[in-house]
Amino acid sequence: MYEHEFVRVDLTMFGGKPKESYHDIIKEYEKDGWELVQIFAPGTAAYGSAAYFEIILKRRVE
């Protein structure tokens, strides 16, 4: 069985760049045994572009 963690990363309004380093976020979670599953960007802003994305991680429950 696995537990999951969802980390929201907001994007800048102009340019759509991440406000935080997703590379650093993933590396920090990996230190605690989390594994990257997917990065998901729902279309929720103007013209269907993403306003944020979610980093989806999992790790085995012991």
Side-chain angles (χ1 to χ4, degrees), residues 1-9 21-40 53-61:
M1 179 174 264
Y2 293 94
E3 63 179 323
H4 292 82
E5 183 75 22
F6 302 86
V7 181
R8 180 177 169 142
V9 178
S21 169
Y22 59 92
H23 294 156
D24 292 343
I25 293 169
I26 293 168
K27 288 176 186 175
E28 284 300 312
Y29 273 88
E30 284 180 339
K31 291 177 184 176
D32 292 327
W34 293 95
E35 177 184 343
L36 176 66
V37 174
Q38 181 178 2
I39 297 178
F40 174 70
F53 60 80
E54 286 190 336
I55 300 170
I56 305 169
L57 304 132
K58 72 175 182 179
R59 71 178 170 186
R60 188 171 298 278
V61 176

